[in-house]
Amino acid sequence: MNFTYILEALPDLLSGLKMTLIVSFLAILLSCLIGVLGAILRTSGIKPLQYAVTAYVEFIRGTPYLVQIFFIFYGLPSLGLRFSIFWSGVIALTAWASAFQIENFRAGLAAVGSGMHDASASLGLKRWQHSVFVVLPLAARAALPSSMNTIVATVKNSAYLQAIGLVELTFVAVDRIAYDFRAIEMFASICVIYLICVFSISGLGYMVERRLSRPFGGR
Amino acid sequence: MTDTEIAVELSGVDKWFSILQVLHDVNLTVRRGEKVVVCGPSGSGKSTMIRCINYLEKHQKGRIVVNGTELTDNRKSIDLVRQNVGMVFQNFNLYPHLTVLENCTLAPRWVKKVSRKDAEAVALAYLERVRIPDKAHFYPSQLSGGQQQRAAIARSLCMNPKIMLFDEPTSALDPELVREVLDTMAQLATDGMTMVCVTHEMGFARQVADRVVFMDAGRIVETAPPEEFFSNPQEGRTRAFLNQILH
């Protein structure tokens, strides 16, 4: 292993990391929003919307992620929808992560017992007040652990976007290997970088989880 | 009896859960200030009946008039009734992510648009009354079951209800914690609150109730003042039930 080579490559790798983090951040943000919205629609009782959300989730879960990326980047332009590499990447990653976040938040909503509804109704709270002040905070807490898993997976899955030429961390490594044939140096380096990212995120998630679950227990 | 003396009136109420009929022609009138205890075996429809009084359950036939408002599926009538009816549940149903004080002030602030300061003052007064003022800033999980149930009673009282419904308020409590909740309820009764309590605490019924209602299989079988109800029950099913729970 040539460490001098790794040091030389580091600025390139870090600029790739920057792209990885930007794309991941956007996808995480958007997929959490879509996740909450989708979960609400899926439990709304409005049948056509429920079916639409379910169909979406099943489509994403039932098809390979790489195919979804190609579908968006190579397929959609022939339907007149053309996005840059960057936005294709963001859309693909968001689309994938959203399906899982919808499921996470749906489970979170299901974890809020019917007793909460009884309490709010008997106190005269409006439906929206009950949703905002009671259901959402409790559902978010219940959904947090699985939602953190999806967030971590979102960061890792940004690596697939090298396939459409997005210059993120994995792309930089693969690109350099094509010129310098230093495969072990590059892959070892990006593994460490990904690990640092993932541990930081899951550490952060664990802290939030502990903070929120204290002092009250389950429910 | 004039209309203004009637707090709750159920007449000819039927209710089904899909094909299962759980209430059969239920007729019950509760006067203002009256304390009614509802008892009966499991599955007899007593919880369902009191949940109909604030429309947590929807009845399919008959009339329910609460405080002069007939309950229909009209949102306004439901809101109006709920403003005057407080409810306490078997499992407390406190909001676990809010402190006791926040539990008590959420509805006054958002439903009655009371300022935070005023809502907190009222809440602290009621917490004082249920003897847990020191728990105001604790979360429900940090309280014992009895304290949680008293907090739930305080939360209901903060909305200044005219009628209180209790749905087996002591059934989820450890035996040694039942007393403190019953004492709180008895105190509320002394203060003149109209109360409908589903409970198996026959001592409480004897001490506090003006009338005891016995339900079985979705029907009101017998209604009598407690001394008569316990010493001289008229119906065979009532006698069988009392034999079971009093020994």
Side-chain angles (χ1 to χ4, degrees):
Chain A
M1 184 102 81
N2 185 336
F3 287 100
T4 331
Y5 180 78
I6 293 178
L7 275 181
E8 269 171 31
L10 205 54
D12 275 5
L13 291 175
L14 289 182
S15 76
L17 174 65
K18 195 174 146 199
M19 178 56 81
T20 291
L21 293 179
I22 292 172
V23 171
S24 301
F25 177 77
L26 285 173
I28 288 166
L29 197 73
L30 292 170
S31 63
C32 284
L33 288 174
I34 295 172
V36 172
L37 203 70
I40 291 171
L41 292 181
R42 203 170 169 174
T43 52
S44 65
I46 307 166
K47 287 276 181 253
L49 287 173
Q50 278 179 297
Y51 291 140
V53 176
T54 308
Y56 171 75
V57 170
E58 292 309 320
F59 177 79
I60 296 289
R61 293 209 299 190
T63 53
Y65 176 45
L66 194 59
V67 174
Q68 295 160 18
I69 297 170
F70 287 157
F71 187 92
I72 287 164
F73 187 64
Y74 297 114
L76 289 187
S78 44
L79 297 175
L81 281 168
R82 190 176 300 275
F83 301 104
S84 66
I85 292 177
F86 176 77
W87 286 109
S88 294
V90 172
I91 292 168
L93 195 54
T94 302
W96 174 85
S98 296
F100 289 87
Q101 295 293 23
I102 288 171
E103 285 300 276
N104 296 335
F105 289 117
R106 188 175 67 98
L109 288 177
V112 180
S114 65
M116 293 295 104
H117 166 266
D118 288 351
S120 294
S122 72
L123 287 167
L125 287 175
K126 298 249 184 319
R127 241 182 94 122
W128 73 264
Q129 293 167 336
H130 172 62
S131 302
V132 171
F133 300 127
V134 181
V135 176
L136 280 182
L138 290 177
R141 280 166 171 81
L144 190 69
S146 56
S147 166
M148 283 313 299
N149 281 341
T150 303
I151 286 175
V152 164
T154 307
V155 175
K156 290 189 294 179
N157 274 355
S158 67
Y160 279 87
L161 299 177
Q162 68 92 21
I164 55 171
L166 182 75
V167 188
E168 44 67 67
L169 186 55
T170 304
F171 183 97
V172 172
V174 171
D175 190 49
R176 286 199 69 119
I177 292 165
Y179 290 103
D180 301 332
F181 311 109
R182 302 266 187 192
I184 182 66
E185 280 86 353
M186 284 297 92
F187 285 133
S189 305
I190 67 169
C191 278
V192 170
I193 296 175
Y194 278 119
L195 277 172
I196 293 171
C197 293
V198 166
F199 285 148
S200 314
I201 293 169
S202 47
L204 199 73
Y206 181 67
M207 269 165 53
V208 174
E209 209 175 304
R210 258 197 3 185
R211 175 89 191 76
L212 289 184
S213 64
R214 187 182 56 191
F216 67 88
R219 184 89 68 106
Chain B
M1 191 156 43
T2 65
D3 278 1
T4 51
E5 288 171 341
I6 300 174
V8 181
E9 182 165 33
L10 288 80
S11 38
V13 171
D14 286 349
K15 169 159 185 66
W16 286 265
F17 285 125
S18 66
I19 57 159
L20 178 72
Q21 186 165 6
V22 289
L23 293 180
H24 295 263
D25 187 30
V26 168
N27 295 284
L28 178 69
T29 305
V30 181
R31 282 175 284 110
R32 239 172 250 299
E34 197 179 15
K35 292 93 183 104
V36 173
V37 162
V38 183
C39 61
S42 166
S44 58
K46 49 198 193 305
S47 280
T48 306
M49 181 186 75
I50 77 160
R51 287 168 63 86
C52 283
I53 296 176
N54 64 351
Y55 211 74
L56 289 184
E57 302 289 353
K58 178 180 157 68
H59 59 290
Q60 278 95 24
K61 246 182 92 181
R63 273 163 54 92
I64 300 179
V65 180
V66 182
N67 224 13
T69 307
E70 180 174 359
L71 274 171
T72 61
D73 39 22
N74 179 328
R75 200 65 238 175
K76 275 218 181 89
S77 77
I78 299 168
D79 287 343
L80 202 61
V81 165
R82 285 177 178 168
Q83 270 177 33
N84 293 312
V85 179
M87 190 167 199
V88 173
F89 304 92
Q90 181 175 357
N91 296 314
F92 328 137
N93 295 347
L94 289 168
Y95 302 127
H97 60 304
L98 301 180
T99 63
V100 168
L101 189 65
E102 289 165 343
N103 263 280
C104 290
T105 54
L106 182 68
R109 289 178 61 196
W110 287 91
V111 179
K112 296 208 156 165
K113 315 289 181 201
V114 178
S115 77
R116 179 199 204 109
K117 217 176 117 230
D118 293 351
E120 287 184 350
V122 170
L124 283 169
Y126 279 117
L127 289 173
E128 186 86 48
R129 207 163 127 190
V130 301
R131 298 192 311 282
I132 46 168
D134 51 323
K135 302 294 181 191
H137 298 287
F138 285 58
Y139 287 88
S141 65
Q142 297 171 301
L143 273 56
S144 74
Q147 292 169 336
Q148 288 189 50
Q149 193 59 296
R150 286 185 282 149
I153 293 172
R155 176 176 72 176
S156 272
L157 294 176
C158 284
M159 290 299 282
N160 198 19
K162 298 193 171 66
I163 301 158
M164 284 287 284
L165 308 175
F166 292 85
D167 189 2
E168 304 204 27
T170 57
S171 300
L173 294 175
D174 292 334
E176 77 272 20
L177 302 176
V178 169
R179 190 76 255 159
E180 63 192 55
V181 171
L182 292 181
D183 285 347
T184 306
M185 291 166 61
Q187 187 201 342
L188 199 58
T190 314
D191 296 346
M193 178 67 76
T194 308
M195 293 164 63
V196 182
C197 315
V198 173
T199 182
H200 294 121
E201 296 293 335
M202 292 301 123
F204 174 79
R206 263 184 230 271
Q207 178 201 344
V208 170
D210 297 312
R211 267 191 303 157
V212 180
V213 171
F214 175 69
M215 288 185 75
D216 188 31
R219 293 171 209 275
I220 291 182
V221 176
E222 184 163 357
T223 305
E227 54 281 10
E228 240 176 87
F229 182 83
F230 290 111
S231 60
N232 187 22
Q234 299 297 308
E235 301 290 328
R237 273 180 294 174
T238 316
R239 280 196 291 273
F241 176 75
L242 287 175
N243 275 333
Q244 280 240 305
I245 61 163
L246 292 179
H247 294 134

